[in-house]
């Protein structure tokens, strides 16, 4: 009987052409699209304009340093700040550097000189990278000017360098040394598409039966609800896992997205999340009055869950009530654990908490769905 029910559910899933195409192809197409988008890995050659009001050898050296930066590219030499403002408004440039008059004279005399930097803050990715690159250039030029000023006072080159650069800050990124956007975002974005499709499909688990004429036949035949919905759930969970396997194969095998933990542990973690995710969709399905309601409930849960998960914006930076709400969703624990497993390879004592919480969510949601369904 159970095998017949499972075969029946698989046939239903396959006959629904729209759902079948979404489940089979949306994640794979998304993977290819997102990896193409982030294949550059880091932002290079950010369009930059320079307003040189000094026209000294020192200002030309500063401009040369900007051009030597791989993140910035001078595309316009302007005569006024107003011209630069218009270019930023039009989206032609992202950064404007204004070198003041007497810049070279101030450096020669060992005085402080202020270089104005205007950055288009409407795109946070651009502005953050541009700010970092500009600060690196400014730090290099400032250090060189300071050393020259000390040498002009009679210091030897090594003495001047050691005196000015008394503290040298060495920066090293761990776990993602190249700060590769593709490694950080692509897999998470694809799995977000996958979980959205799966959650919406799972939201049809109960209403998909109680809304059919066959539901009355099952009741008259004395078939237990547990047998029916357990069989359906096993098919759904197995289908969801089969959907994600090609994504992992392409991401880790072909695109070389990093995976530092054991593959089997990662697959087990995905399976536990899939069960928890399916339980949430099943609970939503138990409250739905019809298939349209079920789809709406699934979308309400699935669409904002990635934003709430804390993957793109730190969970700790969210208001407290949103943090509590987010921790009720299995997606939060999955995407948090995804980051640790792919980049850091934590030991079992760390990840077991994630497994436990996902398991508790599954038990609670399936149990609540069973109580609601029993009353129908």
């Amino acid at each position: 009987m159970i095998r017949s029910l499972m075969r029946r559910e698989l046939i239903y899933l396959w006959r629904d052409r729209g759902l079948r195409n979404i489940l089979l192809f949306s994640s794979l197409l998304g993977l290819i699209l997102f990896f193409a988008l982030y294949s550059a890995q880091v932002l290079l050659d950010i369009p930059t304009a320079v307003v040189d009001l000094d026209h000294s050898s020192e200002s030309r050296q500063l401009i040369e340093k900007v051009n030597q930066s791989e993140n910035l590219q001078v595309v316009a030499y302007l005569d006024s700040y107003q011209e630069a403002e218009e270019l930023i408004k039009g989206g032609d440039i992202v950064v404007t550097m204004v070198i003041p008059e007497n810049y070279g004279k101030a450096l020669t005399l060992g005085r402080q000189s202020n270089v104005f930097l205007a950055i288009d803050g409407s795109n946070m990715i651009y502005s953050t990278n541009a700010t970092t690159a500009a600060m690196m250039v400014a730090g290099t030029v400032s250090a060189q000017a300071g050393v020259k000023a000390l040498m002009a006072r009679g210091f030897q080159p090594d003495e001047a360098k050691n005196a000015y650069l008394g503290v040298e800050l060495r920066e090293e990124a761990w776990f993602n040394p190249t700060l590769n956007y593709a490694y950080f975002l692509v897999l998470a974005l694809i799995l977000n598409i996958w979980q959205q499709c799966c959650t919406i499909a799972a939201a049809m688990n109960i209403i998909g039966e109680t809304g059919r004429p066959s539901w009355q036949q099952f009741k008259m035949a004395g078939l237990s609800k547990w047998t029916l919905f357990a069989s359906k759930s096993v098919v759904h969970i197995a289908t969801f896992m089969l959907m994600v396997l090609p994504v992992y194969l392409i991401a880790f095998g072909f695109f070389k997205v990093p995976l530092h933990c054991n593959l089997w542990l990662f697959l087990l973690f995905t399976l536990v999340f899939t069960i928890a995710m399916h339980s949430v969709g099943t609970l939503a399905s138990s409250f739905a009055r019809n298939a349209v309601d079920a789809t709406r409930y699934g979308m309400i849960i699935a669409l904002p869950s990635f934003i709430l998960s804390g993957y793109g914006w730190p969970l700790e930076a969210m208001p407290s009530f949103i943090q509590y709400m987010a921790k009720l969703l299995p997606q939060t624990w999955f995407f948090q654990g995804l980051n640790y497993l792919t980049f850091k390879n934590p030991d079992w004592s760390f990840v077991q908490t994630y497994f436990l919480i996902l398991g508790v969510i599954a038990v609670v949601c399936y149990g609540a769905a069973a109580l609601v369904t029993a009353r129908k």
Side-chain angles (χ1 to χ4, degrees), residues 27-28 31 187 190-191 243-252:
S27 297
L28 292 176
L31 176 61
L187 184 60
I190 300 311
L191 291 178
M243 286 166 47
V244 81
L245 289 179
V247 172
Y248 287 162
L249 178 63
I250 296 173
F252 299 134

Side-chain angles (χ1 to χ4, degrees), residues 36 57 96 99 113 164 174 179 276 289 310 356 360:
S57 60
T96 294
I99 304 174
S113 180
Y164 189 84
W174 289 5
L179 301 178
R289 293 172 299 178
L356 177 61
V360 169

Side-chain angles (χ1 to χ4, degrees), residues 226-349:
W226 187 92
T227 301
L228 174 62
F229 292 115
S231 303
K232 287 168 59 67
S233 298
V234 169
V235 172
H236 288 186
I237 292 168
T239 301
F240 298 164
M241 285 298 295
L242 287 174
M243 286 166 47
V244 81
L245 289 179
V247 172
Y248 287 162
L249 178 63
I250 296 173
F252 299 134
F254 185 73
F255 291 142
K256 303 301 179 182
V257 173
L259 177 65
H260 290 101
C261 73
N262 181 275
L263 176 61
W264 293 109
L265 175 63
F266 189 73
L267 290 175
L268 179 61
F269 181 65
T270 306
L271 174 61
V272 175
F273 164 68
T274 303
I275 295 171
M277 172 182 59
H278 185 268
S279 74
V280 173
T282 300
L283 178 59
S285 182
S286 68
F287 285 103
R289 293 172 299 178
N290 50 54
V292 175
D293 274 355
T295 302
R296 289 170 178 168
Y297 293 160
M299 292 178 64
I300 290 172
I301 296 169
L303 293 180
S305 60
F306 182 68
I307 298 174
L308 293 174
S309 70
Y311 196 92
W313 181 257
L315 196 64
E316 295 77 14
M318 300 179 188
S320 298
F321 74 95
I322 293 183
Q323 293 185 39
Y324 294 134
M325 181 173 62
K327 290 178 180 179
L328 297 176
L329 296 173
Q331 287 88 344
T332 299
W333 300 97
F334 176 67
F335 286 108
Q336 292 285 329
L338 173 71
N339 185 269
Y340 284 107
L341 290 171
T342 53
F343 283 110
K344 299 180 180 179
N345 189 23
D347 56 28
W348 173 250
S349 62

Side-chain angles (χ1 to χ4, degrees), residues 146-164:
V147 171
K148 287 182 179 179
L150 290 177
M151 289 174 61
R153 296 178 185 178
F155 282 74
Q156 295 297 317
D158 290 340
E159 292 176 335
K161 182 178 179 181
N162 292 332
Y164 189 84

Side-chain angles (χ1 to χ4, degrees), residues 3 56 71 88 120 173 188 216 229 289 299 312 346 369:
R3 291 178 60 183
S56 63
N71 301 97
I88 289 181
D120 185 356
Q216 297 298 329
F229 292 115
R289 293 172 299 178
M299 292 178 64

Side-chain angles (χ1 to χ4, degrees), residues 23-34:
L23 293 177
L24 290 178
F25 301 117
S26 60
S27 297
L28 292 176
L29 290 175
L31 176 61
I32 297 172
L33 174 62
F34 286 133

Side-chain angles (χ1 to χ4, degrees), residues 180-198:
N180 190 327
Y181 278 111
Y183 289 170
F184 175 69
L185 282 177
V186 169
L187 184 60
L189 290 174
I190 300 311
L191 291 178
N192 177 44
I193 295 175
W194 168 74
Q195 68 86 15
Q196 288 182 10
C197 297
C198 294

